[in-house]
Amino acid sequence: VRNTPGAWRSFLPQSVAKYLESKPELLAKLHDNLEEDAKKEAQHVSTGFPQIKRQRLESTASTNRAAECILRALDVVHSLQFERGHTGLLLSIGSDCVKEGLRTSQANTDAVIGEISAVMEDEFDGFDEAWALACELRQIPVWLHRDRAVVDKRYVMLKDMQGQDGWGARYSLA
């Protein structure tokens, strides 16, 4: 397709195409570049291998632990999102059923974070980024404990508010 006459126009805006038509030396350079790209693509297709060498990772305990840490980090994010949703419901609705759902979400979040906190540095031999991620995730309980205390305090305050003031305060959080 790239070798057909006028094919170069298909991937350029009309204003650029008009400009190139008025500059034959630039148009010739564009054609040369397209031909060179087509040769590289043909070489890639004929050999069946990309031109870059890929590093092959052996399956080791460190590799498995690093991959597991990354997946656990995704689980932490997912658990925190669930907990955030239940927190919003608790503060806006304030029912005991929602409070139980929040406590369950918090327990799930704590369990996932606890799994990551149990790993040791030597389990990440050669995977410093995964170890750094695990160290960052270990900090979550510190701020999460503080945030949960604020939510509990706010919940008690909102639950005690009656009438229009209570309804308005809860509604503003929804």
Side-chain angles (χ1 to χ4, degrees):
V1 173
R2 286 187 174 180
N3 295 332
T4 61
W8 60 273
R9 291 174 154 270
S10 64
F11 62 91
L12 293 174
Q14 286 184 345
S15 59
V16 175
K18 286 180 185 179
Y19 177 78
L20 286 174
E21 286 175 341
S22 68
K23 305 286 186 185
E25 66 281 354
L26 291 177
L27 188 57
K29 182 67 176 164
L30 174 64
H31 283 290
D32 292 343
N33 288 344
L34 290 174
E35 287 177 21
E36 188 65 33
D37 288 346
K39 287 178 187 175
K40 287 179 183 176
E41 285 179 16
Q43 181 184 10
H44 172 70
V45 171
S46 66
T47 61
F49 298 103
Q51 298 300 318
I52 58 173
K53 294 180 182 177
R54 295 181 185 222
Q55 179 183 3
R56 182 168 242 223
L57 290 175
E58 308 240 347
S59 181
T60 63
S62 297
T63 306
N64 293 340
R65 179 55 84 182
E68 183 181 339
C69 179
I70 292 168
L71 292 174
R72 283 287 163 222
L74 295 173
D75 287 343
V76 168
V77 170
H78 189 73
S79 293
L80 287 170
Q81 288 173 335
F82 261 96
E83 188 172 329
R84 182 185 67 195
H86 282 109
T87 299
L89 285 173
L90 178 70
L91 293 176
S92 61
I93 297 172
S95 72
D96 290 334
C97 179
V98 173
K99 188 173 185 175
E100 185 60 35
L102 175 61
R103 297 298 175 230
T104 302
S105 292
Q106 290 174 339
N108 291 340
T109 301
D110 292 343
V112 173
I113 293 171
E115 291 175 19
I116 291 174
S117 296
V119 297
M120 303 303 288
E121 183 175 5
D122 60 347
E123 297 179 57
F124 291 94
D125 186 36
F127 294 95
D128 296 336
E129 294 85 359
W131 172 242
L133 176 62
C135 290
E136 288 293 322
L137 293 172
R138 286 179 173 182
Q139 300 304 313
I140 292 175
V142 174
W143 57 261
L144 195 55
H145 177 73
R146 184 187 63 237
D147 290 351
R148 287 175 179 171
V150 169
V151 167
D152 290 341
K153 186 176 178 181
R154 180 84 171 158
Y155 169 71
V156 169
M157 184 189 75
L158 288 171
K159 190 173 181 181
D160 292 341
M161 292 177 81
Q162 300 296 320
Q164 185 177 359
D165 290 338
W167 180 87
R170 286 187 292 278
Y171 180 75
S172 68
L173 295 171

